[in-house]
Amino acid sequence: MSDPAIRERIAAASGWQVQRQLGRGQYGTAYLVEAAAKPGATAGEQAVAKVVGLEFLPEKEHKLAFQEVEMMRNLKHPHIVALRDHFLTEGSLELVIVMEFCDCGDLRGEVRKRASAKPPDHIPEAQIMTWFVQL
């Protein structure tokens, strides 16, 4: 983890304990987190915390980050990653969006894995249609 202080800020603000970094994107970093005993979470429950630094984020992207939380709060579907928690760290330095952890990966990873197989392992059309209908 590049910033040990983020581990402390997340724990202090929420009780979620950072386990390890999962990835990094243009606007944030994703961490695997584990719940301490707290209301609304089972101790030991794993989730993903997307940490968006707000300090230097342009105003437009700042608003988009909070819109993402609002959108996720309203989405309730078994095939869409659920929002578990969200909060600001001390000093409002970061917005932390805690989502359920999908330990099997995502669609992008599945496509990459199949494309790199020798020979390529195509996803069956029936499976694609099932996923499409779920969207």
Side-chain angles (χ1 to χ4, degrees):
M1 178 179 304
S2 58
D3 182 6
I6 189 67
R7 180 185 303 260
E8 294 171 16
R9 288 196 299 271
I10 289 173
S14 68
W16 291 98
Q17 302 295 317
V18 174
Q19 302 301 307
R20 64 184 168 92
Q21 183 175 320
L22 296 174
R24 188 174 193 87
Q26 183 175 0
Y27 295 112
T29 304
Y31 298 98
L32 179 64
V33 295
E34 194 170 281
K38 59 179 249 153
T42 306
E45 173 188 359
Q46 290 188 321
V48 173
K50 177 180 175 182
V51 180
V52 180
L54 299 175
E55 196 171 12
F56 303 108
L57 198 63
E59 185 176 342
K60 181 180 177 184
E61 282 77 14
H62 191 275
K63 288 180 183 178
L64 287 173
F66 285 93
Q67 285 177 353
E68 178 179 356
V69 171
E70 287 305 310
M71 180 185 68
M72 290 186 75
R73 285 175 60 171
N74 295 315
L75 286 174
K76 305 282 189 252
H77 191 279
H79 302 294
I80 297 177
V81 174
L83 178 70
R84 297 287 296 118
D85 195 2
H86 67 283
F87 53 91
L88 293 170
T89 59
E90 185 179 346
S92 298
L93 293 176
E94 297 97 6
L95 169 64
V96 181
I97 304 169
V98 181
M99 301 166 274
E100 65 183 333
F101 177 50
C102 301
D103 59 354
C104 292
D106 61 5
L107 180 58
R108 178 183 294 164
E110 180 68 16
V111 169
R112 285 182 177 163
K113 178 180 79 173
R114 288 173 173 263
S116 66
K118 301 293 183 215
D121 182 17
H122 299 288
I123 300 171
E125 184 177 346
Q127 180 64 62
I128 293 170
M129 291 308 295
T130 300
W131 292 337
F132 180 73
V133 169
Q134 292 172 0
L135 296 175

